[in-house]
Amino acid sequence: MHNKLATRFILATLFLDAVGIGIVFPIMPDLMERVGADSTADGAIWGGILMAAYAAMQFLFSPIIGGISDSVGRRPVLLLALVALTVDYVIMALATTFWWLLIGRVLAGIAGATYITATAYIADISSKQDRAANFGLVGAAFGVGFVLGPAIGGLAAGWHITAPFWLAAALAGINVAFGLFVLPESLAPGKRRAFRRRDLNPFGSILDALKLPGLALPLVLLFLVEFANMVYPVLWSFWTRELFGWSAAFIGLTLAAYGASVAFTQGVVLRHLIARLGEWRTLMFALVCAVLAFVVFGLTASAWVMFTFILVAALADMAPPTVTAMMSNMVAEDRQGLLQGVIASLGSVAAVIAPMIVTGVFQRFAAPDTAVYLPGAPFLMAGLIVLATLPFFWRLRPAST
C-alpha cells in the first residue's frame, strides 16, 4: 500500500512537471505584453529567452541532480524540487518585469530536472516484473500533463493572466504536503554512491556516444529534426496571435489538440505503420509529412488550412521515435542507457538553441516595420532544415530495402 501511495506521488509530480512546461505556452504573448513587450514580434524574442533559459537549466542540472539523489537519497531531492516549483509559480504570478520572469523560469528549469530522480525512484520501488508497466505509467503521466498543460493555461487565463500560475502553485503545494506523508526514502544508505566530478559534465555522455560506430550521423540528423520541431512549442502562440488574433484560451486548446494528435500517432499509428512499411519507410514518410506541414504553415493565412495540417504535423512527429528505435538496434545492450541519455541531452540542447533562432527569424519577418511581412518564415526555415536531412537519411536505408 505504501508503495502504491509513493507511486501516485511520483506520477503526480511528473504530471505537474509536464503541466508546468505547457501551462506557459498559450499565455506567453499576454505575459510578454504584461512585462513591457511593444509588439508580438518583440514578445516572441523575450519568450524565446525564457524558453531557452528553462531548457538550459534542465540540461545543465539533470546530471547534477541525478548525482545528488544517488548520494543523499531521492526523497529530499524530490520534495525540495516541489517546494522550488511552488515558489517559482508564485514568482511568475507576481512578476511585473521580464527579469523576475527569467528568475522564475531558471528556478523552474532546475526543479524540473528532477525527472531523472523521479524515474529512478520508480525503478527503486518496482519489482523486475512491474518495472516496464510502471515506466509506462511514468510516460503516460508526463504525456497527459503535457497535453493538458496548454489547455489549463489558456482556460485559466480567461479569469486573469496570472491565474494559471496561482493554480499551478496550489497544486504543487498540495503535492508537497502529500509527499511529506506518503513518500518514504527508496534508496537505502548502503546503495548510495559518492557524488562525482563527472556528474557536473552534461556533455560527457554526448561525446562518448558520438564515438560509437555508426551513431554519429543518425545522432546529428535526429538533433536537426528535433531542432526543427521546436518551432511548434516556441512559436505557436505568437504566430497564431499575430496571424489570427487568437485568445490565450483558443491557443491553449489548439496546442492541446496538437499534443493529443501526437500522442495518438506515436502510440497507435506508428506501431501499425512500422508493421506494414518497416522502420525506414515509416521514417521517410514522417519526414515528408514534416516538410509538407512546415511549408504549409509557413505560407498559409487560413485558419482552416492550418487546422487540417495539424494532423500532418502530428504524423511528422513519428520521425524522432523511429530514428531512436533504429539507433537502439545498432548498439549493444550495455550501451542502451548511454544512447537514451544522449538522445535526451541532444533534445535539451535543441530546446536551448532553437528558441533564440526561431524567435529571431519571427521578429525579423513579423515586426511592424519589416520590409517583407512573413510571420510563417520560421516554419519555412524548419522545412528547409528537414529537407536538407533527407539525402542523409537515405544513406541509413537498410540494404534489404
Side-chain angles (χ1 to χ4, degrees), residues 51-63 113 116 202-203 206 223 226-227 230 341-355:
M51 293 180 190
Y54 180 93
M57 292 304 102
Q58 282 211 319
F59 174 67
L60 293 173
F61 279 87
S62 287
I116 290 175
F203 296 97
I206 295 178
F223 170 80
E226 295 277 26
F227 177 95
M230 283 299 299
V342 167
I343 290 171
S345 295
L346 288 175
S348 296
V349 173
V352 173
I353 299 173

Side-chain angles (χ1 to χ4, degrees), residues 99 171 197 392:
W99 297 110
L171 291 173
R197 191 193 309 184
F392 298 96

